[in-house]
Amino acid sequence: YARGTVTAFAPFDARADAEALRKAMKGIGTDEETVLTILTTRNNAQRQEIASAFKTLFGRDLVDDLKSELTGKFETLMVSLMRPAYIFDAHALKHAIKGAGTNEKVLTEILASRTPAEVQNIKQVYQQEYEANLEDKITGETSGHFQRLLVVLLQANRDPDGGVDEALVEQDAQVLFRAGELKWGTDEEKFITILGTRSVSHLRRVFDKYMTISGFQIEETIDRETSGDLEKLLLAVVKCIRSVPAYFAETLYYSMKGAGTDDDTLIRVMVSRSEVDLLDIRREFRKNFAKSLYQMIQKDTSGDYRKALLLLCGGDDD
């Protein structure tokens, strides 16, 4: 991926970084500036090397030190940056289905936006880290058509992208039209199967064809014909088929729009996309919301938390 805002730092010296971090957190008070500058400008692989050097040099756990020295949202952000990239999604899902109540928003965001290969990896890591089957955990906490679509996405069997068969495009568009707009009540299963298993390039053509046949965007139909968690998940899948960066730009926008900030979402997206496609997300943000991601973070957050997020953002687009 070359579209992240965070790349490998050079010249990199894990030992020197570990020493600087130890000095920043030792004694009375913490030098937050040093902590945030180092952790937001090194990529995840380098942060793991720093943690390892930190333990070797001082016999201390870097994450434990961060937790004891920092507080609030800033602490959450720094600790999130220290989580190994391959564990990040598995950890977020574990917390979404742990304890009382399920965080459907997290399940929706991660499973709608990750590639089949990424989903396979998440399932494997989940099993290794938590000695539990992710699908079993999710089916235990969800129900109905929402659960079924999550299970379809967890199979990670979406058709690979290849040549698009126009006859099948026409057929799928007609099936969706009959299952939604033309039907009294909705045949959710048809939506789940088609949106959960067809290839990305095929579905993009289906959406165009659907518009021609019905006079509606597929999103409008989903909005009218479904509700609740299923509606949100179907819409997320459609948006990610159209453009993953545009989906995340919208997710970030709504995490900060209006009164109060959904910091969990803001942190999760900024950290998980910082080495993947945050440059593209920034571009979509600017295009769709008439302001830059940088400006919105600046306006909506404060203190060291803001400084760190702005460094991850990697610049303004105005």
Side-chain angles (χ1 to χ4, degrees):
Y1 293 111
R3 303 296 302 159
T5 51
V6 177
T7 52
F9 184 82
F12 173 62
D13 180 344
R15 217 183 157 96
D17 283 348
E19 283 167 353
L21 286 169
R22 174 72 184 125
K23 190 175 160 204
M25 292 189 283
K26 198 175 164 182
I28 307 292
T30 305
D31 169 7
E32 285 89 356
E33 191 85 25
T34 296
V35 174
L36 71 87
T37 304
I38 292 176
L39 298 187
T40 58
T41 54
R42 311 308 189 251
N43 69 9
N44 196 283
Q46 291 175 327
R47 289 179 215 126
Q48 303 316 317
E49 285 186 54
I50 295 168
S52 162
F54 196 86
K55 194 163 268 184
T56 302
L57 293 171
F58 310 112
R60 303 174 68 92
D61 185 287
L62 177 54
V63 173
D64 289 348
D65 277 13
L66 290 168
K67 285 178 177 171
S68 70
E69 293 296 325
L70 310 175
T71 57
K73 297 173 287 205
F74 180 55
E75 177 200 334
T76 307
L77 177 57
M78 293 299 108
V79 170
S80 297
L81 285 170
M82 289 307 303
R83 200 157 279 127
Y86 66 93
I87 291 181
F88 194 88
D89 286 340
H91 180 271
L93 289 169
K94 172 148 174 66
H95 280 264
I97 45 188
K98 177 180 143 189
T102 305
N103 188 337
E104 290 83 5
K105 184 190 244 176
V106 175
L107 300 185
T108 295
E109 179 197 301
I110 293 177
L111 294 175
S113 65
R114 303 311 192 246
T115 64
E118 286 167 338
V119 173
Q120 292 290 12
N121 180 48
I122 292 166
K123 290 196 297 188
Q124 230 173 326
V125 170
Y126 197 95
Q127 185 70 53
Q128 285 160 3
E129 292 293 309
Y130 308 117
E131 294 179 354
N133 179 292
L134 178 58
E135 190 180 317
D136 292 347
K137 287 289 180 196
I138 287 178
T139 51
E141 296 293 331
T142 54
S143 62
H145 290 107
F146 175 61
Q147 179 200 74
R148 286 181 206 159
L149 180 50
L150 287 172
V151 170
V152 168
L153 295 172
L154 279 166
Q155 303 319 299
N157 275 335
R158 192 176 285 293
D159 298 335
D161 264 334
V164 173
D165 174 350
E166 288 301 329
L168 186 60
V169 166
E170 173 81 38
Q171 185 187 317
D172 279 351
Q174 292 286 358
V175 166
L176 290 173
F177 184 47
R178 287 197 296 273
E181 296 291 345
L182 283 188
K183 194 175 187 309
W184 180 254
T186 310
D187 184 349
E188 290 91 352
E189 221 145 76
K190 298 277 194 290
F191 278 83
I192 289 169
T193 303
I194 292 174
L195 294 178
T197 61
R198 300 286 198 252
S199 77
V200 171
S201 45
H202 172 85
L203 283 170
R204 285 177 183 158
R205 291 284 303 119
V206 170
F207 299 160
D208 292 344
K209 181 63 77 176
Y210 185 87
M211 178 75 192
T212 311
I213 295 169
S214 69
F216 298 112
Q217 293 287 9
I218 189 88
E219 289 91 334
E220 296 173 78
T221 296
I222 290 169
D223 205 24
R224 261 200 304 278
E225 300 287 331
T226 60
S227 62
D229 294 324
L230 174 66
E231 179 192 345
K232 291 184 186 124
L233 181 55
L234 284 167
L235 286 173
V237 170
V238 169
K239 286 169 184 172
C240 289
I241 294 293
R242 290 192 189 276
S243 162
V244 170
Y247 168 72
F248 280 117
E250 187 182 308
T251 304
L252 286 168
Y253 178 74
Y254 285 106
S255 76
M256 294 181 278
K257 186 181 183 286
T261 304
D262 175 356
D263 292 293
D264 288 341
T265 298
L266 179 55
I267 291 169
R268 190 174 56 252
V269 176
M270 292 297 287
V271 172
S272 65
R273 307 315 286 186
S274 60
E275 292 181 43
V276 182
D277 54 1
L278 196 47
L279 290 171
D280 295 330
I281 292 168
R282 268 172 39 184
R283 194 182 61 223
E284 292 292 333
F285 197 99
R286 186 75 194 82
K287 190 172 88 188
N288 298 331
F289 302 110
K291 60 178 79 163
S292 70
L293 176 59
Y294 192 92
Q295 287 161 352
M296 199 155 179
I297 291 171
Q298 205 161 27
K299 191 173 107 305
D300 225 73
T301 57
S302 61
D304 295 314
Y305 175 54
R306 175 206 276 162
K307 280 183 199 164
L309 284 170
L310 291 176
L311 280 169
L312 282 179
C313 184
D316 200 344
D317 297 296
D318 244 16

